[in-house]
Amino acid sequence: MHVAPVGGTAVQDHVALAEIELCGELIIAASAAGEDRLSLESIDEVLRVAEERGDNAPRT
């Protein structure tokens, strides 16, 4: 559990910030795709799923 220091009002939730960043990247990718839907492979690439798993195997 992280507690903000006494007198400080700013608390950073690094997990939430990372999720917000990934959502932003998905929005940008979807916007760039125009009328087309993003494929599952494209979404995995934007979210860096293979990097997180530590391999380059496609999702099944």
Side-chain angles (χ1 to χ4, degrees):
M1 181 172 161
H2 177 74
V3 178
V6 176
T9 58
V11 176
Q12 289 189 359
D13 183 338
H14 297 287
V15 173
L17 292 174
E19 289 178 357
I20 292 167
E21 182 179 342
L22 289 174
C23 286
E25 291 178 20
L26 273 176
I27 291 168
I28 291 167
S31 176
E35 295 288 322
D36 299 327
R37 291 180 177 231
L38 291 176
S39 67
L40 292 177
E41 292 80 18
S42 296
I43 293 170
D44 284 350
E45 185 178 326
V46 170
L47 297 177
R48 298 182 289 273
V49 171
E51 292 175 24
E52 189 65 30
R53 287 190 312 215
D55 62 31
N56 291 322
R59 196 168 93 174
T60 57

